[in-house]
Amino acid sequence: MIKRVSESHMEAYRTMVFATIASFFVQTIFVFIDGAAIGEIMILLNATHAALAVAIGVWLYANRRNIPSTKSLEIGFFILSAPFIITTWMGESLGLQLGQLRQPLVPFQFLCIYIAVLSPGRVWIAACEIFVSLVFAVAFWFFLKDQFPLTGVTGEPWATLTYGLISLMMLGARAYRKRLIQNLEKSRAEAEAFERAARLFLAVRDRANSPLQVINLCATLIESRNPEEIETVERLRRSLLKLQGLTEILAETDVWRETYEAGGDISKEIDKTFSKLV
């Protein structure tokens, strides 16, 4: 059975798919780059991370018809992104030990942008992941500063912290967009509910026409055969007029459907209809 999911939940799933693909390609490329520059240990680490991305991709594909919960997607993203810290720490440290010219905090900058753009689920969790990445980046900087001269690296760790700030701003923009999508979903659901209600009212009106005609005919027969029951007949006719007025009001709900199909504001038409019932 296929679960019905909201658009925001579906967007989180699609974002997780893109994050998995990006992680796989990046780590596969660095299997060759770090493998040639540093050695077999980086081939192993990057290949393991790429294989982890493949495993998560298989899990996402297997659950494409029953989308995992947002919490599960968040856990999957954490499992996918955390190894970046390990591969960065190992790769940059080994590269500097070999005397290579490196920019050791650039991968952390990439990680912050990666989290801001491709993290699924709740915003505050992604913000915490960016903060933790920055903490590791600063700690890594001071660790390297004690071990190596780093004369060719300038502007750190402030440049990485700036990237972290920009990432948080990008995350805030994503959160604003997500809120707009949720509000749009809510408005669309309400409009669809009112449109269904309009169809229901129209069906009630159509089904009420025949009984009302029968009541009107009966009132006419009673008036012709029993003139002394004129007071009863008048009561019937007054009640009949009220019922007919209600059916006319129900007929106005057809305007709801037309307004909804035209993309207009259905709430104004609903207020007009209900004001006649007060």
Side-chain angles (χ1 to χ4, degrees):
M1 180 178 180
I2 300 176
K3 295 187 296 184
R4 182 181 177 86
V5 296
S6 64
E7 179 59 31
S8 58
H9 189 186
M10 194 64 198
E11 183 187 17
Y13 174 79
R14 288 192 293 262
T15 303
M16 183 63 187
V17 171
F18 287 126
T20 304
I21 295 172
S23 178
F24 170 75
F25 278 108
V26 167
Q27 292 306 97
T28 300
I29 291 170
F30 274 92
V31 166
F32 301 98
I33 294 176
D34 286 344
I38 299 173
E40 293 181 357
I41 185 171
M42 291 311 300
I43 293 177
L44 177 62
L45 288 175
N46 289 322
T48 302
H49 194 182
L52 179 62
V54 170
I56 292 176
V58 170
W59 171 67
L60 291 171
Y61 180 79
N63 291 276
R64 65 191 183 281
R65 297 187 181 278
N66 294 289
I67 306 301
S69 66
T70 301
K71 185 176 181 180
S72 298
L73 294 175
E74 290 169 346
I75 294 172
F77 183 79
F78 175 77
I79 295 173
L80 186 66
S81 58
F84 278 116
I85 296 176
I86 300 173
T87 55
T88 297
W89 196 294
M90 291 293 296
E92 299 301 325
S93 299
L94 292 173
L96 289 170
Q97 287 178 13
L98 295 173
Q100 299 173 359
L101 294 176
R102 313 280 295 191
Q103 292 292 330
L105 296 190
V106 169
F108 284 100
Q109 298 169 7
F110 162 79
L111 180 58
C112 289
I113 299 297
Y114 174 80
I115 294 172
V117 174
L118 295 176
S119 61
R122 291 164 289 186
V123 173
W124 69 269
I125 291 181
C128 289
E129 290 175 345
I130 292 175
F131 177 76
V132 170
S133 300
L134 292 175
V135 170
F136 272 100
V138 173
F140 186 49
W141 169 256
F142 285 107
F143 168 78
L144 293 178
K145 195 174 182 181
D146 290 338
Q147 303 291 326
F148 308 99
L150 299 179
T151 53
V153 182
T154 59
E156 294 292 359
W158 306 112
T160 300
L161 293 175
T162 302
Y163 270 89
L165 179 60
I166 293 172
S167 299
L168 291 172
M169 294 171 65
M170 294 170 65
L171 189 62
R174 276 190 64 201
Y176 177 72
R177 179 175 176 272
K178 183 178 180 180
R179 194 177 304 115
L180 290 179
I181 292 175
Q182 290 174 339
N183 291 336
L184 179 61
E185 287 179 349
K186 183 179 179 181
S187 300
R188 184 182 299 169
E190 290 177 350
E192 289 176 352
F194 285 130
E195 198 268 342
R196 289 194 298 269
R199 290 201 301 267
L200 174 62
F201 290 158
L202 289 174
V204 171
R205 181 206 63 180
D206 294 338
R207 289 179 178 271
N209 282 335
S210 295
L212 290 177
Q213 291 174 359
V214 171
I215 294 173
N216 187 32
L217 178 61
C218 291
T220 303
L221 290 174
I222 292 172
E223 184 179 14
S224 61
R225 296 181 180 181
N226 300 286
E228 67 277 7
E229 298 292 338
I230 186 64
E231 184 177 350
T232 302
V233 172
E234 289 298 324
R235 291 178 181 176
L236 283 173
R237 293 194 183 282
R238 285 195 297 268
S239 299
L240 186 61
L241 287 174
K242 290 181 180 180
L243 290 174
Q244 288 173 339
L246 290 174
T247 58
E248 290 176 359
I249 293 175
L250 290 177
E252 294 182 7
T253 58
D254 192 35
V255 180
W256 300 4
R257 181 171 53 82
E258 294 174 357
T259 304
Y260 171 75
E261 292 175 351
D265 186 2
I266 193 174
S267 61
K268 294 181 180 179
E269 301 299 333
I270 293 172
D271 291 338
K272 291 179 182 179
T273 301
F274 280 104
S275 66
K276 297 179 181 181
L277 297 173
V278 178

